[in-house]
Amino acid sequence: MVEGKINEIHGWAAMKPGLTPRPLGEHDVEIKIEYSGICGSDLHTIKEEWSGTSYPAIVGHEIVGKIITKGEKATHLEEGDLVGVGAQVYGCLQKDCNPCSRDLDPHCPKSVFTYNTKYPDGEQAHGGYAEAVRVDSNYAIKIPAGLDPVYAPPLMCAGATVFAPMLRKGVKKGDRVGVIGIGGLGHLAVQYASALGAEVVAFSHSPNKREQCLKLGASKFVDTSNKEEVDAVRRSLNYLFVASNSTSNQYNEFISWMDFEGQIVLLALPKGNMSFSPGEFIRTEVAITGSLIGGVNVLKKTLEFSAKHKILPIIERYPMEKVNDAIVQVDSGKARYRVVLENPKDSNL
């Protein structure tokens, strides 16, 4: 067995000063972390707003760094490769696995997410607010040469989350695509849909985002507090990607924006239950669905597409040691639009 080079991982926001990493498996790689993005899921986990946080928990599933050690069977990667890790660090990827065979490996019954879940051997997975991480090599995705690595972390979760359903549903040139919630997810969704050739309508209750949305590729901006602007887009959309924590009673309004047989796709996770009249679905033939995260192949396509079309998140940068300040910035809703933590550069490894 190959020994790892970092045998005590120093992490942040973990409620404990250091953790011993799980042994490096034959298919694993050890990554010296350079950048780690902050996702809303991190905050929910830290604050145990989603039940079941197992402390100490090093969160962070938007990771970019260089491989410093690899197992004997991690043959497709080399030490020194710059790679990204998203919200999943293991799936069986077997052809006889129903979800894995369909590029839906986040739904694999053996899946391990990047933090606050356990491997089959009982070891807990830990994420990117740290100096290093060990993951299955299949889930360490090479960063394309044309992509500045500081912008890559948000693409590993937020980017893949919004791009995955566009790929699966075949969003194409000429489609009328709405995006509501122009924040960490939404500003990327506008860019991806535009690059796919769609006519993009950006919806926001913040009219000061109009100019920025148009620069990001939106064909039209709709101020949701302006009745005239909203009425002008009713029954016009083929797809609506919901990147806001919209309340349940807003979805009947969203349905009114959709063309017949249109699809509403949930990307964010609002609180509470949703309530609809069955008649709404029968009269409009509109479907409501959701999307989790991107698996291995979706992550590769997301990075390649982003590099080709120069799709970049709008970010704020913080040194890793200022992680608490960065978390407060995200939690307050003031971040524009993703936050990236940076480890100090050193040449010791």
Side-chain angles (χ1 to χ4, degrees), residues 39 41 50 157-166 168-169 177-181 184-190 192 240-246 251 264-270 288-293 338:
C39 178
S41 302
W50 294 342
C157 177
T161 295
V162 301
F163 193 47
M166 294 183 188
R168 292 174 187 140
K169 296 179 185 304
V177 174
V179 177
I180 183 164
L185 294 172
H187 87 288
L188 287 167
V190 168
Y192 285 115
L240 176 65
F241 293 91
V242 182
S244 63
N245 290 319
S246 303
Y251 282 84
I264 298 173
V265 184
L266 275 67
L267 302 175
L269 191 61
I288 297 181
T289 183
S291 182
L292 187 56
I293 57 174
R338 306 294 291 193

Side-chain angles (χ1 to χ4, degrees), residues 55-305:
Y55 298 109
I58 300 177
V59 299
H61 56 207
E62 298 181 341
I63 302 167
V64 169
K66 289 183 179 177
I67 294 175
I68 56 173
T69 320
K70 65 172 193 167
E72 302 94 327
K73 294 186 178 180
T75 56
H76 65 291
L77 295 170
E78 300 296 336
E79 290 187 15
D81 283 348
L82 184 69
V83 295
V85 177
Q88 184 179 5
V89 291
Y90 180 76
C92 77
L93 301 179
Q94 297 301 305
K95 293 181 180 179
D96 60 354
C97 174
N98 181 13
C100 288
S101 66
R102 298 157 58 197
D103 283 344
L104 293 171
D105 37 305
H107 300 280
C108 174
K110 297 180 180 179
S111 66
V112 178
F113 295 107
T114 306
Y115 58 76
N116 199 42
T117 56
K118 293 186 182 296
Y119 286 91
D121 60 8
E123 291 281 348
Q124 183 164 324
H126 292 289
Y129 295 11
E131 61 183 329
V133 68
R134 296 177 181 177
V135 305
D136 180 274
S137 60
N138 289 303
Y139 287 87
I141 314 298
K142 284 187 179 181
I143 303 297
L147 186 60
D148 186 335
V150 73
Y151 291 99
L155 302 179
M156 301 307 300
C157 177
T161 295
V162 301
F163 193 47
M166 294 183 188
L167 287 174
R168 292 174 187 140
K169 296 179 185 304
V171 172
K172 63 188 183 302
K173 183 177 181 179
D175 284 341
R176 300 178 301 279
V177 174
V179 177
I180 183 164
I182 310 303
L185 294 172
H187 87 288
L188 287 167
V190 168
Q191 294 181 71
Y192 285 115
S194 176
L196 287 167
E199 178 185 332
V200 183
V201 182
F203 294 83
S204 176
H205 65 270
S206 302
N208 61 352
K209 293 183 179 179
R210 184 184 302 270
E211 184 178 348
Q212 186 172 66
C213 287
L214 296 175
K215 287 181 178 178
L216 290 172
S219 307
K220 182 184 294 185
F221 178 90
V222 173
D223 176 357
T224 54
S225 64
N226 185 313
K227 184 178 184 300
E228 185 176 337
E229 290 189 15
V230 173
D231 287 345
V233 297
R234 295 196 191 280
R235 294 283 172 256
S236 68
L237 302 178
N238 303 117
Y239 301 96
L240 176 65
F241 293 91
V242 182
S244 63
N245 290 319
S246 303
T247 58
S248 61
N249 62 0
Q250 291 178 286
Y251 282 84
N252 286 318
E253 172 71 7
F254 297 165
I255 290 173
S256 77
W257 302 347
M258 307 305 296
D259 195 1
F260 300 105
E261 297 186 318
Q263 295 189 55
I264 298 173
V265 184
L266 275 67
L267 302 175
L269 191 61
K271 293 181 180 179
N273 296 322
M274 299 164 66
S275 178
F276 307 98
S277 165
E280 285 293 322
F281 296 99
I282 292 173
R283 286 190 295 270
T284 64
E285 301 190 31
V286 168
I288 297 181
T289 183
S291 182
L292 187 56
I293 57 174
V296 168
N297 288 330
V298 169
L299 281 168
K300 291 176 181 177
K301 291 175 182 177
T302 299
L303 293 176
E304 290 165 1
F305 191 86

